[in-house]
C-alpha cells in the first residue's frame, strides 16, 4: 500500500495518515523478512511476511469508518491458514524473504490493484530492507 518514506518515517514533516502508516508498517514487516533471511540464511534461518486477510473479529471496531465487506472477510481459521502454512510446511524449507497471502506467494503488482493484494517490488528490495534494518538499529541504540 505504501513505500516507507525514510526521510519522514515518523510523520514529523507531513500530516499523519493512518492508511499510509499502516501501509508503511506492512512494507516494514516485509523488509524485516527480507533482511532477516539475508543475514541468517547461512545459519538455516529464514523469515517470510504474510497478510492474513480481514478476519471477522471485533478488531475492526477500532478502525473508524474502515470496514471490510462481509464477502471479503475470513473466518479465524481461514485467516490463520497462511501463518500455519509458513510455520509448518516442509515445502518452504529454505524459502525466505518473500510475502504470502491466501496460502500462496503473493503476485507482484506494479501499480496497485484496488484490492490490497499482491506485493509491490519496492517491498522486496534488499537495499531498502538494509536501510530499514540499519535505521532500526540506530533507533534502538
Amino acid at each position: 500500500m505504501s513505500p516507507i518514506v525514510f526521510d519522514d518515517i515518523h510523520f514529523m514533516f507531513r500530516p499523519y495518515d493512518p492508511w499510509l502508516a499502516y501501509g508503511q508498517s506492512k512494507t516494514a514487516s516485509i523488509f524485516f523478512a527480507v533482511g532477516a533471511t539475508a543475514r541468517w540464511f547461512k545459519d538455516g534461518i529464514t523469515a517470510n511476511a504474510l497478510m492474513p486477510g480481514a478476519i471477522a473479529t471485533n478488531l475492526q471496531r477500532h478502525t473508524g469508518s474502515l470496514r471490510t465487506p462481509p464477502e471479503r472477510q475470513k473466518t479465524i481459521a481461514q485467516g490463520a491458514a497462511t501463518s500455519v502454512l509458513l510455520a509448518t510446511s516442509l515445502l518452504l524449507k529454505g524459502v525466505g524473504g518473500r510475502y504470502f497471502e491466501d496460502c500462496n506467494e503473493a503476485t507482484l503488482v506494479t501499480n496497485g490493484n484496488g484490492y490490497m493484494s499482491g506485493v509491490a517490488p519496492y517491498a522486496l528490495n534488499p537495499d531498502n530492507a538494509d536501510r530499514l534494518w540499519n535505521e532500526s538499529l540506530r533507533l534502538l541504540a
Side-chain angles (χ1 to χ4, degrees):
M1 288 176 44
S2 175
I4 292 178
V5 179
F6 284 101
D7 293 330
D8 193 19
I9 288 177
H10 302 290
F11 291 87
M12 301 298 289
F13 298 98
R14 60 196 163 121
Y16 177 76
D17 181 305
W19 273 111
L20 289 178
Y22 175 77
Q24 286 189 164
S25 75
K26 293 299 290 182
T27 300
S29 71
I30 300 168
F31 281 164
F32 282 118
V34 170
T37 298
R39 285 161 178 77
W40 300 321
F41 185 81
K42 67 181 177 294
D43 298 318
I45 299 170
T46 58
N48 290 294
L50 68 100
M51 167 60 101
I55 314 305
T57 67
N58 289 325
L59 180 62
Q60 287 192 1
R61 72 179 182 269
H62 300 291
T63 60
S65 62
L66 171 65
R67 295 286 182 268
T68 302
E71 66 274 8
R72 293 197 41 97
Q73 291 183 3
K74 294 181 177 183
T75 66
I76 293 169
Q78 290 169 328
T82 304
S83 295
V84 172
L85 175 77
L86 293 179
T88 63
S89 177
L90 295 177
L91 295 173
L92 295 171
K93 184 175 176 64
V95 174
R98 300 186 188 175
Y99 184 68
F100 290 79
E101 58 190 1
D102 297 324
C103 294
N104 289 292
E105 187 170 352
T107 58
L108 286 175
V109 294
T110 56
N111 61 357
N113 59 14
Y115 295 106
M116 294 191 298
S117 63
V119 62
Y122 63 73
L124 299 169
N125 182 294
D127 294 332
N128 285 336
D130 283 343
R131 188 172 180 187
L132 182 62
W133 193 280
N134 292 327
E135 177 64 10
S136 298
L137 291 175
R138 187 189 70 73
L139 290 168
L140 290 170

